[in-house]
Amino acid sequence: MGRLPGGGLAKGLAVTLRTMTRRSITRQYPEVQPDLPPRSRGVIALFEENCTVCMLCARECPDWCIYIDSHKETLPAEGGGRARTRNVLDRFAIDFALCMYCGICIEVCPFDALFWSPEFEYAEYDIAELTHEKERLREWMWTVPPPQAHDPAAEPPKEIAAAAKAAARRRPGTPR
């Protein structure tokens, strides 16, 4: 077998001594901000104008940490038609003490009202203050980076490809 007693200990001490001689790469966080990837996940931002109070985000949330309140508003009809009703958002809050940052609410939102913001400095001294209302969520909306540019080598969207194909079949001067 030929193993010396304490060989593993010697290897461990060698690694420790080698590491001790290197300079540490510690960044002093509050003074030096970390270099985060451009699309990193921080908090969820709300674009209130796009929210139709469909409640999909609250229903699909596995932690039930999204709270939405609304009321119905009647809009008078223009030109003698029937009056329309619409939902008006009163409260939209996310309890970040419960949130597990899965992103399901962002994925299921059909109207693009929720986005990932790279903002990560939202610590509070009291856990009750981690429930952020729509005003705070709206502030984070302006930190959301613009969407990535489309890949020029990618296939065109199926809608555009179908329209181009239909236009190619149709010859100039012929009726539909």
Short mmCIF file of all heavy atoms in Angstrom, two decimals, residues 58-128:
data_model
loop_
_atom_site.label_atom_id
_atom_site.label_comp_id
_atom_site.label_asym_id
_atom_site.label_seq_id
_atom_site.Cartn_x
_atom_site.Cartn_y
_atom_site.Cartn_z
N ALA A 58 -50.96 36.82 -9.17
CA ALA A 58 -51.29 36.43 -7.79
C ALA A 58 -51.77 34.99 -7.71
O ALA A 58 -51.45 34.27 -6.77
CB ALA A 58 -52.35 37.36 -7.22
N ARG A 59 -52.51 34.54 -8.72
CA ARG A 59 -53.00 33.16 -8.72
C ARG A 59 -51.90 32.15 -8.95
O ARG A 59 -51.93 31.06 -8.41
CB ARG A 59 -54.08 32.98 -9.78
CG ARG A 59 -55.44 33.42 -9.28
CD ARG A 59 -56.50 33.11 -10.28
NE ARG A 59 -56.66 34.32 -11.09
CZ ARG A 59 -57.03 34.34 -12.35
NH1 ARG A 59 -57.30 33.23 -12.96
NH2 ARG A 59 -57.16 35.48 -12.98
N GLU A 60 -50.92 32.49 -9.78
CA GLU A 60 -49.86 31.55 -10.12
C GLU A 60 -48.70 31.56 -9.15
O GLU A 60 -47.84 30.69 -9.20
CB GLU A 60 -49.34 31.83 -11.53
CG GLU A 60 -50.36 31.59 -12.62
CD GLU A 60 -50.79 30.13 -12.72
OE1 GLU A 60 -49.95 29.24 -12.50
OE2 GLU A 60 -51.96 29.89 -13.01
N CYS A 61 -48.64 32.54 -8.27
CA CYS A 61 -47.52 32.65 -7.33
C CYS A 61 -47.56 31.47 -6.35
O CYS A 61 -48.55 31.28 -5.63
CB CYS A 61 -47.61 33.96 -6.55
SG CYS A 61 -46.27 34.15 -5.36
N PRO A 62 -46.50 30.66 -6.30
CA PRO A 62 -46.51 29.50 -5.38
C PRO A 62 -46.44 29.90 -3.91
O PRO A 62 -46.81 29.12 -3.05
CB PRO A 62 -45.28 28.70 -5.79
CG PRO A 62 -44.43 29.61 -6.56
CD PRO A 62 -45.30 30.69 -7.12
N ASP A 63 -45.96 31.11 -3.61
CA ASP A 63 -45.84 31.55 -2.23
C ASP A 63 -46.99 32.44 -1.77
O ASP A 63 -47.04 32.81 -0.60
CB ASP A 63 -44.55 32.34 -2.03
CG ASP A 63 -43.34 31.45 -2.13
OD1 ASP A 63 -43.47 30.26 -1.84
OD2 ASP A 63 -42.28 31.95 -2.52
N TRP A 64 -47.87 32.84 -2.68
CA TRP A 64 -48.98 33.74 -2.38
C TRP A 64 -48.46 35.02 -1.74
O TRP A 64 -48.97 35.48 -0.72
CB TRP A 64 -50.01 33.05 -1.48
CG TRP A 64 -50.72 31.95 -2.16
CD1 TRP A 64 -50.29 30.68 -2.33
CD2 TRP A 64 -51.98 32.02 -2.81
NE1 TRP A 64 -51.20 29.95 -3.03
CE2 TRP A 64 -52.25 30.75 -3.34
CE3 TRP A 64 -52.90 33.04 -3.00
CZ2 TRP A 64 -53.41 30.47 -4.04
CZ3 TRP A 64 -54.06 32.75 -3.70
CH2 TRP A 64 -54.30 31.48 -4.20
N CYS A 65 -47.43 35.61 -2.34
CA CYS A 65 -46.83 36.82 -1.75
C CYS A 65 -47.23 38.08 -2.51
O CYS A 65 -46.73 39.16 -2.21
CB CYS A 65 -45.31 36.67 -1.72
SG CYS A 65 -44.53 36.56 -3.32
N ILE A 66 -48.14 37.96 -3.49
CA ILE A 66 -48.60 39.13 -4.25
C ILE A 66 -50.01 39.46 -3.80
O ILE A 66 -50.89 38.60 -3.80
CB ILE A 66 -48.56 38.85 -5.77
CG1 ILE A 66 -47.13 38.54 -6.20
CG2 ILE A 66 -49.12 40.02 -6.55
CD1 ILE A 66 -46.99 38.13 -7.64
N TYR A 67 -50.21 40.71 -3.42
CA TYR A 67 -51.52 41.17 -2.93
C TYR A 67 -52.05 42.23 -3.89
O TYR A 67 -51.39 43.25 -4.12
CB TYR A 67 -51.39 41.75 -1.52
CG TYR A 67 -50.66 40.83 -0.58
CD1 TYR A 67 -49.38 41.13 -0.13
CD2 TYR A 67 -51.24 39.64 -0.15
CE1 TYR A 67 -48.71 40.29 0.73
CE2 TYR A 67 -50.57 38.79 0.71
CZ TYR A 67 -49.30 39.12 1.15
OH TYR A 67 -48.63 38.28 1.99
N ILE A 68 -53.25 41.99 -4.43
CA ILE A 68 -53.84 42.91 -5.40
C ILE A 68 -55.26 43.27 -4.94
O ILE A 68 -56.04 42.39 -4.62
CB ILE A 68 -53.89 42.29 -6.81
CG1 ILE A 68 -52.49 41.93 -7.27
CG2 ILE A 68 -54.56 43.24 -7.79
CD1 ILE A 68 -52.46 41.19 -8.59
N ASP A 69 -55.56 44.57 -4.93
CA ASP A 69 -56.91 45.06 -4.67
C ASP A 69 -57.29 45.97 -5.83
O ASP A 69 -56.46 46.71 -6.35
CB ASP A 69 -56.97 45.85 -3.36
CG ASP A 69 -56.77 44.97 -2.14
OD1 ASP A 69 -57.14 43.79 -2.21
OD2 ASP A 69 -56.24 45.48 -1.14
N SER A 70 -58.56 45.91 -6.21
CA SER A 70 -59.03 46.75 -7.31
C SER A 70 -60.50 47.07 -7.13
O SER A 70 -61.17 46.50 -6.27
CB SER A 70 -58.81 46.05 -8.65
OG SER A 70 -59.66 44.91 -8.75
N HIS A 71 -60.98 47.98 -7.96
CA HIS A 71 -62.41 48.27 -8.01
C HIS A 71 -62.80 48.46 -9.46
O HIS A 71 -61.96 48.69 -10.32
CB HIS A 71 -62.75 49.52 -7.16
CG HIS A 71 -62.23 50.79 -7.73
ND1 HIS A 71 -60.94 51.24 -7.50
CD2 HIS A 71 -62.80 51.71 -8.55
CE1 HIS A 71 -60.76 52.37 -8.14
NE2 HIS A 71 -61.87 52.69 -8.79
N LYS A 72 -64.10 48.36 -9.73
CA LYS A 72 -64.61 48.53 -11.09
C LYS A 72 -65.00 49.99 -11.30
O LYS A 72 -65.57 50.62 -10.42
CB LYS A 72 -65.79 47.62 -11.35
CG LYS A 72 -65.41 46.16 -11.39
CD LYS A 72 -66.42 45.36 -12.18
CE LYS A 72 -66.06 43.90 -12.20
NZ LYS A 72 -65.09 43.58 -13.21
N GLU A 73 -64.69 50.47 -12.48
CA GLU A 73 -65.02 51.83 -12.85
C GLU A 73 -65.83 51.78 -14.14
O GLU A 73 -65.49 51.05 -15.06
CB GLU A 73 -63.71 52.60 -13.07
CG GLU A 73 -63.88 54.05 -13.38
CD GLU A 73 -62.52 54.71 -13.52
OE1 GLU A 73 -61.97 54.70 -14.63
OE2 GLU A 73 -62.02 55.21 -12.50
N THR A 74 -66.92 52.55 -14.21
CA THR A 74 -67.76 52.58 -15.40
C THR A 74 -67.37 53.77 -16.27
O THR A 74 -67.32 54.90 -15.80
CB THR A 74 -69.24 52.69 -15.01
OG1 THR A 74 -69.57 51.59 -14.15
CG2 THR A 74 -70.13 52.62 -16.24
N LEU A 75 -67.09 53.47 -17.52
CA LEU A 75 -66.73 54.52 -18.47
C LEU A 75 -67.94 54.81 -19.35
O LEU A 75 -68.53 53.89 -19.92
CB LEU A 75 -65.56 54.06 -19.35
CG LEU A 75 -64.27 53.72 -18.61
CD1 LEU A 75 -63.25 53.14 -19.58
CD2 LEU A 75 -63.72 54.96 -17.96
N PRO A 76 -68.34 56.07 -19.48
CA PRO A 76 -69.49 56.37 -20.35
C PRO A 76 -69.14 56.08 -21.81
O PRO A 76 -68.00 56.24 -22.24
CB PRO A 76 -69.73 57.86 -20.12
CG PRO A 76 -68.45 58.39 -19.58
CD PRO A 76 -67.77 57.26 -18.88
N ALA A 77 -70.13 55.63 -22.54
CA ALA A 77 -69.92 55.29 -23.95
C ALA A 77 -69.92 56.53 -24.81
O ALA A 77 -70.67 57.48 -24.56
CB ALA A 77 -71.01 54.33 -24.41
N GLU A 78 -69.09 56.51 -25.81
CA GLU A 78 -69.05 57.62 -26.76
C GLU A 78 -69.93 57.25 -27.96
O GLU A 78 -69.83 56.16 -28.49
CB GLU A 78 -67.62 57.87 -27.23
CG GLU A 78 -66.70 58.33 -26.11
CD GLU A 78 -65.28 58.52 -26.62
OE1 GLU A 78 -65.09 58.64 -27.83
OE2 GLU A 78 -64.38 58.53 -25.78
N GLY A 79 -70.77 58.13 -28.35
CA GLY A 79 -71.61 57.88 -29.53
C GLY A 79 -72.84 57.04 -29.26
O GLY A 79 -73.36 56.42 -30.17
N GLY A 80 -73.31 56.97 -28.05
CA GLY A 80 -74.58 56.30 -27.78
C GLY A 80 -74.48 54.80 -27.57
O GLY A 80 -75.47 54.10 -27.63
N GLY A 81 -73.33 54.26 -27.34
CA GLY A 81 -73.20 52.82 -27.10
C GLY A 81 -73.40 52.49 -25.64
O GLY A 81 -73.80 53.33 -24.82
N ARG A 82 -73.14 51.26 -25.31
CA ARG A 82 -73.29 50.79 -23.94
C ARG A 82 -72.06 51.20 -23.11
O ARG A 82 -70.93 51.18 -23.59
CB ARG A 82 -73.41 49.27 -23.95
CG ARG A 82 -73.75 48.68 -22.61
CD ARG A 82 -74.02 47.21 -22.72
NE ARG A 82 -72.83 46.54 -23.24
CZ ARG A 82 -72.53 45.29 -23.00
NH1 ARG A 82 -73.34 44.55 -22.29
NH2 ARG A 82 -71.44 44.75 -23.51
N ALA A 83 -72.28 51.54 -21.87
CA ALA A 83 -71.18 51.94 -20.99
C ALA A 83 -70.29 50.73 -20.72
O ALA A 83 -70.78 49.60 -20.61
CB ALA A 83 -71.73 52.48 -19.68
N ARG A 84 -68.99 50.98 -20.62
CA ARG A 84 -68.02 49.92 -20.38
C ARG A 84 -67.53 49.99 -18.95
O ARG A 84 -67.46 51.06 -18.35
CB ARG A 84 -66.83 50.07 -21.31
CG ARG A 84 -67.19 49.89 -22.76
CD ARG A 84 -66.00 50.00 -23.65
NE ARG A 84 -64.93 49.14 -23.17
CZ ARG A 84 -63.69 49.18 -23.61
NH1 ARG A 84 -63.35 50.03 -24.54
NH2 ARG A 84 -62.77 48.36 -23.14
N THR A 85 -67.19 48.84 -18.40
CA THR A 85 -66.58 48.80 -17.08
C THR A 85 -65.16 48.27 -17.21
O THR A 85 -64.87 47.45 -18.09
CB THR A 85 -67.37 47.89 -16.12
OG1 THR A 85 -67.38 46.56 -16.64
CG2 THR A 85 -68.78 48.38 -15.92
N ARG A 86 -64.30 48.76 -16.34
CA ARG A 86 -62.92 48.27 -16.34
C ARG A 86 -62.43 48.22 -14.91
O ARG A 86 -62.93 48.95 -14.03
CB ARG A 86 -62.01 49.14 -17.18
CG ARG A 86 -61.78 50.52 -16.62
CD ARG A 86 -60.81 51.30 -17.46
NE ARG A 86 -60.58 52.58 -16.84
CZ ARG A 86 -59.38 53.08 -16.57
NH1 ARG A 86 -58.31 52.40 -16.90
NH2 ARG A 86 -59.27 54.24 -15.99
N ASN A 87 -61.45 47.37 -14.67
CA ASN A 87 -60.85 47.26 -13.35
C ASN A 87 -59.80 48.34 -13.18
O ASN A 87 -59.02 48.61 -14.08
CB ASN A 87 -60.21 45.89 -13.17
CG ASN A 87 -61.24 44.80 -13.03
OD1 ASN A 87 -62.32 45.04 -12.51
ND2 ASN A 87 -60.92 43.61 -13.49
N VAL A 88 -59.76 48.94 -12.00
CA VAL A 88 -58.77 49.95 -11.67
C VAL A 88 -57.95 49.41 -10.49
O VAL A 88 -58.50 48.97 -9.49
CB VAL A 88 -59.44 51.29 -11.30
CG1 VAL A 88 -58.41 52.32 -10.89
CG2 VAL A 88 -60.28 51.79 -12.45
N LEU A 89 -56.64 49.46 -10.64
CA LEU A 89 -55.73 48.94 -9.63
C LEU A 89 -55.68 49.88 -8.42
O LEU A 89 -55.37 51.06 -8.55
CB LEU A 89 -54.34 48.80 -10.24
CG LEU A 89 -53.26 48.17 -9.38
CD1 LEU A 89 -53.60 46.72 -9.08
CD2 LEU A 89 -51.92 48.25 -10.09
N ASP A 90 -56.02 49.36 -7.25
CA ASP A 90 -55.94 50.13 -6.01
C ASP A 90 -54.66 49.80 -5.25
O ASP A 90 -53.98 50.69 -4.75
CB ASP A 90 -57.13 49.84 -5.10
CG ASP A 90 -58.42 50.36 -5.68
OD1 ASP A 90 -58.39 51.37 -6.40
OD2 ASP A 90 -59.48 49.75 -5.41
N ARG A 91 -54.34 48.51 -5.16
CA ARG A 91 -53.16 48.08 -4.41
C ARG A 91 -52.49 46.95 -5.15
O ARG A 91 -53.14 46.00 -5.60
CB ARG A 91 -53.56 47.62 -3.02
CG ARG A 91 -52.38 47.13 -2.20
CD ARG A 91 -52.80 46.66 -0.83
NE ARG A 91 -51.60 46.37 -0.05
CZ ARG A 91 -51.47 45.27 0.68
NH1 ARG A 91 -52.44 44.39 0.75
NH2 ARG A 91 -50.35 45.07 1.35
N PHE A 92 -51.19 47.06 -5.29
CA PHE A 92 -50.37 45.97 -5.80
C PHE A 92 -49.15 45.92 -4.90
O PHE A 92 -48.36 46.86 -4.85
CB PHE A 92 -49.94 46.22 -7.25
CG PHE A 92 -49.33 45.02 -7.91
CD1 PHE A 92 -50.06 44.27 -8.81
CD2 PHE A 92 -48.03 44.62 -7.63
CE1 PHE A 92 -49.51 43.17 -9.42
CE2 PHE A 92 -47.47 43.52 -8.22
CZ PHE A 92 -48.21 42.78 -9.14
N ALA A 93 -49.00 44.84 -4.16
CA ALA A 93 -47.90 44.72 -3.21
C ALA A 93 -47.27 43.35 -3.33
O ALA A 93 -47.95 42.37 -3.62
CB ALA A 93 -48.38 44.95 -1.78
N ILE A 94 -45.97 43.30 -3.12
CA ILE A 94 -45.24 42.03 -3.10
C ILE A 94 -44.51 41.95 -1.78
O ILE A 94 -43.79 42.87 -1.39
CB ILE A 94 -44.24 41.94 -4.26
CG1 ILE A 94 -44.97 42.00 -5.60
CG2 ILE A 94 -43.44 40.65 -4.17
CD1 ILE A 94 -44.05 41.98 -6.80
N ASP A 95 -44.70 40.84 -1.08
CA ASP A 95 -44.01 40.60 0.18
C ASP A 95 -42.70 39.88 -0.14
O ASP A 95 -42.68 38.67 -0.37
CB ASP A 95 -44.88 39.77 1.12
CG ASP A 95 -44.29 39.64 2.51
OD1 ASP A 95 -43.14 40.10 2.71
OD2 ASP A 95 -44.97 39.08 3.38
N PHE A 96 -41.59 40.62 -0.17
CA PHE A 96 -40.31 40.03 -0.53
C PHE A 96 -39.74 39.17 0.58
O PHE A 96 -38.75 38.47 0.37
CB PHE A 96 -39.32 41.13 -0.93
CG PHE A 96 -39.61 41.68 -2.29
CD1 PHE A 96 -40.15 42.94 -2.44
CD2 PHE A 96 -39.37 40.94 -3.43
CE1 PHE A 96 -40.42 43.45 -3.69
CE2 PHE A 96 -39.65 41.43 -4.68
CZ PHE A 96 -40.18 42.70 -4.81
N ALA A 97 -40.35 39.17 1.77
CA ALA A 97 -39.95 38.24 2.81
C ALA A 97 -40.43 36.83 2.47
O ALA A 97 -39.82 35.85 2.89
CB ALA A 97 -40.50 38.67 4.16
N LEU A 98 -41.51 36.73 1.70
CA LEU A 98 -42.04 35.43 1.30
C LEU A 98 -41.60 35.02 -0.11
O LEU A 98 -41.55 33.84 -0.42
CB LEU A 98 -43.57 35.46 1.32
CG LEU A 98 -44.24 35.63 2.67
CD1 LEU A 98 -45.74 35.75 2.49
CD2 LEU A 98 -43.91 34.47 3.58
N CYS A 99 -41.31 35.99 -0.95
CA CYS A 99 -41.01 35.72 -2.37
C CYS A 99 -39.78 34.83 -2.50
O CYS A 99 -38.78 35.03 -1.83
CB CYS A 99 -40.78 37.05 -3.09
SG CYS A 99 -40.47 36.86 -4.85
N MET A 100 -39.86 33.86 -3.40
CA MET A 100 -38.70 32.99 -3.65
C MET A 100 -38.05 33.31 -4.99
O MET A 100 -37.21 32.56 -5.46
CB MET A 100 -39.09 31.53 -3.56
CG MET A 100 -40.07 31.05 -4.57
SD MET A 100 -40.40 29.32 -4.24
CE MET A 100 -41.34 28.91 -5.67
N TYR A 101 -38.43 34.42 -5.61
CA TYR A 101 -37.79 34.94 -6.82
C TYR A 101 -37.77 33.90 -7.95
O TYR A 101 -36.79 33.79 -8.67
CB TYR A 101 -36.37 35.43 -6.51
CG TYR A 101 -36.34 36.46 -5.44
CD1 TYR A 101 -36.18 36.11 -4.10
CD2 TYR A 101 -36.52 37.80 -5.75
CE1 TYR A 101 -36.19 37.07 -3.11
CE2 TYR A 101 -36.52 38.76 -4.76
CZ TYR A 101 -36.36 38.38 -3.45
OH TYR A 101 -36.37 39.33 -2.46
N CYS A 102 -38.88 33.21 -8.11
CA CYS A 102 -38.96 32.18 -9.16
C CYS A 102 -39.25 32.79 -10.52
O CYS A 102 -38.92 32.21 -11.55
CB CYS A 102 -40.01 31.14 -8.81
SG CYS A 102 -41.68 31.80 -8.70
N GLY A 103 -39.90 33.95 -10.56
CA GLY A 103 -40.19 34.62 -11.82
C GLY A 103 -41.44 34.14 -12.51
O GLY A 103 -41.72 34.54 -13.64
N ILE A 104 -42.24 33.29 -11.87
CA ILE A 104 -43.47 32.80 -12.49
C ILE A 104 -44.43 33.95 -12.75
O ILE A 104 -45.07 34.02 -13.80
CB ILE A 104 -44.12 31.71 -11.60
CG1 ILE A 104 -43.23 30.47 -11.59
CG2 ILE A 104 -45.52 31.36 -12.10
CD1 ILE A 104 -43.69 29.38 -10.65
N CYS A 105 -44.51 34.90 -11.83
CA CYS A 105 -45.42 36.04 -12.01
C CYS A 105 -45.05 36.85 -13.24
O CYS A 105 -45.92 37.33 -13.97
CB CYS A 105 -45.42 36.92 -10.77
SG CYS A 105 -43.78 37.54 -10.31
N ILE A 106 -43.78 36.99 -13.50
CA ILE A 106 -43.32 37.75 -14.67
C ILE A 106 -43.64 36.99 -15.95
O ILE A 106 -44.05 37.57 -16.96
CB ILE A 106 -41.82 38.05 -14.55
CG1 ILE A 106 -41.59 38.95 -13.34
CG2 ILE A 106 -41.27 38.68 -15.81
CD1 ILE A 106 -40.16 39.12 -12.95
N GLU A 107 -43.46 35.68 -15.92
CA GLU A 107 -43.71 34.86 -17.11
C GLU A 107 -45.19 34.79 -17.48
O GLU A 107 -45.53 34.78 -18.65
CB GLU A 107 -43.19 33.44 -16.90
CG GLU A 107 -41.69 33.36 -16.74
CD GLU A 107 -40.95 33.80 -17.98
OE1 GLU A 107 -41.41 33.49 -19.09
OE2 GLU A 107 -39.91 34.47 -17.83
N VAL A 108 -46.09 34.76 -16.47
CA VAL A 108 -47.52 34.60 -16.78
C VAL A 108 -48.23 35.90 -17.07
O VAL A 108 -49.36 35.88 -17.55
CB VAL A 108 -48.28 33.85 -15.66
CG1 VAL A 108 -47.70 32.48 -15.43
CG2 VAL A 108 -48.31 34.65 -14.38
N CYS A 109 -47.58 37.03 -16.82
CA CYS A 109 -48.24 38.33 -17.05
C CYS A 109 -48.45 38.54 -18.55
O CYS A 109 -47.48 38.69 -19.30
CB CYS A 109 -47.41 39.46 -16.47
SG CYS A 109 -48.20 41.07 -16.68
N PRO A 110 -49.71 38.56 -19.01
CA PRO A 110 -49.95 38.67 -20.45
C PRO A 110 -49.79 40.09 -21.00
O PRO A 110 -49.78 40.29 -22.21
CB PRO A 110 -51.40 38.19 -20.60
CG PRO A 110 -52.02 38.51 -19.29
CD PRO A 110 -50.94 38.36 -18.26
N PHE A 111 -49.65 41.07 -20.12
CA PHE A 111 -49.62 42.46 -20.57
C PHE A 111 -48.28 43.15 -20.29
O PHE A 111 -48.19 44.37 -20.34
CB PHE A 111 -50.77 43.25 -19.93
CG PHE A 111 -52.10 42.66 -20.26
CD1 PHE A 111 -52.79 41.91 -19.33
CD2 PHE A 111 -52.65 42.85 -21.52
CE1 PHE A 111 -54.02 41.36 -19.65
CE2 PHE A 111 -53.87 42.30 -21.84
CZ PHE A 111 -54.55 41.55 -20.91
N ASP A 112 -47.26 42.39 -19.95
CA ASP A 112 -45.92 42.92 -19.66
C ASP A 112 -45.98 44.05 -18.64
O ASP A 112 -45.50 45.16 -18.87
CB ASP A 112 -45.23 43.41 -20.94
CG ASP A 112 -44.83 42.26 -21.84
OD1 ASP A 112 -44.62 41.16 -21.32
OD2 ASP A 112 -44.72 42.48 -23.05
N ALA A 113 -46.54 43.74 -17.48
CA ALA A 113 -46.60 44.73 -16.41
C ALA A 113 -45.53 44.46 -15.35
O ALA A 113 -45.24 45.35 -14.56
CB ALA A 113 -47.98 44.71 -15.75
N LEU A 114 -44.95 43.27 -15.34
CA LEU A 114 -43.94 42.92 -14.35
C LEU A 114 -42.61 42.63 -15.05
O LEU A 114 -42.59 41.98 -16.10
CB LEU A 114 -44.38 41.69 -13.54
CG LEU A 114 -45.64 41.87 -12.71
CD1 LEU A 114 -46.05 40.55 -12.09
CD2 LEU A 114 -45.44 42.92 -11.64
N PHE A 115 -41.52 43.10 -14.43
CA PHE A 115 -40.19 42.93 -15.01
C PHE A 115 -39.18 42.66 -13.90
O PHE A 115 -39.38 43.05 -12.75
CB PHE A 115 -39.75 44.22 -15.74
CG PHE A 115 -40.58 44.55 -16.92
CD1 PHE A 115 -41.69 45.37 -16.78
CD2 PHE A 115 -40.28 44.06 -18.17
CE1 PHE A 115 -42.47 45.69 -17.88
CE2 PHE A 115 -41.05 44.37 -19.26
CZ PHE A 115 -42.14 45.19 -19.12
N TRP A 116 -38.06 42.01 -14.26
CA TRP A 116 -36.95 41.87 -13.34
C TRP A 116 -36.13 43.15 -13.36
O TRP A 116 -35.75 43.64 -14.41
CB TRP A 116 -36.03 40.71 -13.74
CG TRP A 116 -36.51 39.37 -13.38
CD1 TRP A 116 -36.84 38.37 -14.23
CD2 TRP A 116 -36.71 38.85 -12.06
NE1 TRP A 116 -37.23 37.27 -13.52
CE2 TRP A 116 -37.17 37.54 -12.20
CE3 TRP A 116 -36.56 39.38 -10.78
CZ2 TRP A 116 -37.47 36.73 -11.10
CZ3 TRP A 116 -36.86 38.57 -9.70
CH2 TRP A 116 -37.31 37.27 -9.86
N SER A 117 -35.84 43.67 -12.21
CA SER A 117 -34.96 44.82 -12.07
C SER A 117 -33.65 44.33 -11.45
O SER A 117 -33.67 43.48 -10.56
CB SER A 117 -35.61 45.86 -11.15
OG SER A 117 -34.67 46.84 -10.79
N PRO A 118 -32.51 44.86 -11.87
CA PRO A 118 -31.24 44.44 -11.26
C PRO A 118 -30.99 45.06 -9.89
O PRO A 118 -29.98 44.78 -9.26
CB PRO A 118 -30.19 44.91 -12.28
CG PRO A 118 -30.83 46.03 -12.99
CD PRO A 118 -32.30 45.75 -13.02
N GLU A 119 -31.92 45.85 -9.41
CA GLU A 119 -31.77 46.50 -8.10
C GLU A 119 -31.77 45.42 -7.01
O GLU A 119 -32.66 44.57 -6.97
CB GLU A 119 -32.93 47.47 -7.88
CG GLU A 119 -32.78 48.33 -6.68
CD GLU A 119 -31.69 49.36 -6.83
OE1 GLU A 119 -31.47 49.84 -7.95
OE2 GLU A 119 -31.05 49.66 -5.81
N PHE A 120 -30.77 45.43 -6.14
CA PHE A 120 -30.71 44.40 -5.09
C PHE A 120 -30.56 44.98 -3.70
O PHE A 120 -30.57 44.25 -2.73
CB PHE A 120 -29.56 43.43 -5.36
CG PHE A 120 -28.20 44.08 -5.31
CD1 PHE A 120 -27.47 44.06 -4.15
CD2 PHE A 120 -27.68 44.70 -6.42
CE1 PHE A 120 -26.23 44.66 -4.08
CE2 PHE A 120 -26.44 45.30 -6.38
CZ PHE A 120 -25.71 45.28 -5.20
N GLU A 121 -30.46 46.29 -3.58
CA GLU A 121 -30.30 46.91 -2.26
C GLU A 121 -31.65 47.38 -1.74
O GLU A 121 -32.02 48.54 -1.90
CB GLU A 121 -29.33 48.08 -2.36
CG GLU A 121 -27.93 47.67 -2.74
CD GLU A 121 -27.03 48.85 -2.95
OE1 GLU A 121 -27.50 49.86 -3.49
OE2 GLU A 121 -25.85 48.75 -2.59
N TYR A 122 -32.38 46.49 -1.13
CA TYR A 122 -33.68 46.86 -0.59
C TYR A 122 -33.89 46.26 0.80
O TYR A 122 -35.00 45.97 1.21
CB TYR A 122 -34.81 46.42 -1.55
CG TYR A 122 -34.82 44.96 -1.87
CD1 TYR A 122 -35.62 44.09 -1.15
CD2 TYR A 122 -34.04 44.44 -2.88
CE1 TYR A 122 -35.62 42.73 -1.43
CE2 TYR A 122 -34.05 43.10 -3.18
CZ TYR A 122 -34.83 42.25 -2.45
OH TYR A 122 -34.82 40.91 -2.73
N ALA A 123 -32.81 46.09 1.52
CA ALA A 123 -32.88 45.52 2.86
C ALA A 123 -33.62 46.47 3.81
O ALA A 123 -33.59 47.69 3.64
CB ALA A 123 -31.49 45.24 3.39
N GLU A 124 -34.26 45.89 4.78
CA GLU A 124 -34.99 46.66 5.80
C GLU A 124 -34.61 46.13 7.18
O GLU A 124 -34.16 44.99 7.32
CB GLU A 124 -36.51 46.51 5.60
CG GLU A 124 -37.02 46.96 4.25
CD GLU A 124 -37.00 48.46 4.06
OE1 GLU A 124 -36.85 49.18 5.06
OE2 GLU A 124 -37.12 48.91 2.91
N TYR A 125 -34.80 46.95 8.19
CA TYR A 125 -34.51 46.53 9.55
C TYR A 125 -35.63 45.69 10.14
O TYR A 125 -35.41 44.88 11.03
CB TYR A 125 -34.25 47.74 10.45
CG TYR A 125 -32.92 48.38 10.16
CD1 TYR A 125 -32.86 49.61 9.54
CD2 TYR A 125 -31.74 47.74 10.51
CE1 TYR A 125 -31.64 50.20 9.26
CE2 TYR A 125 -30.52 48.32 10.23
CZ TYR A 125 -30.46 49.55 9.61
OH TYR A 125 -29.27 50.11 9.33
N ASP A 126 -36.85 45.88 9.63
CA ASP A 126 -38.00 45.15 10.15
C ASP A 126 -38.57 44.29 9.01
O ASP A 126 -38.75 44.78 7.89
CB ASP A 126 -39.06 46.14 10.64
CG ASP A 126 -40.23 45.46 11.31
OD1 ASP A 126 -40.12 44.24 11.61
OD2 ASP A 126 -41.25 46.12 11.52
N ILE A 127 -38.86 43.05 9.29
CA ILE A 127 -39.35 42.14 8.25
C ILE A 127 -40.71 42.58 7.71
O ILE A 127 -41.04 42.32 6.55
CB ILE A 127 -39.40 40.69 8.78
CG1 ILE A 127 -39.54 39.71 7.62
CG2 ILE A 127 -40.53 40.51 9.78
CD1 ILE A 127 -39.32 38.27 7.99
N ALA A 128 -41.48 43.29 8.50
CA ALA A 128 -42.79 43.78 8.05
C ALA A 128 -42.65 44.83 6.95
O ALA A 128 -43.57 45.04 6.17
CB ALA A 128 -43.58 44.33 9.22
#
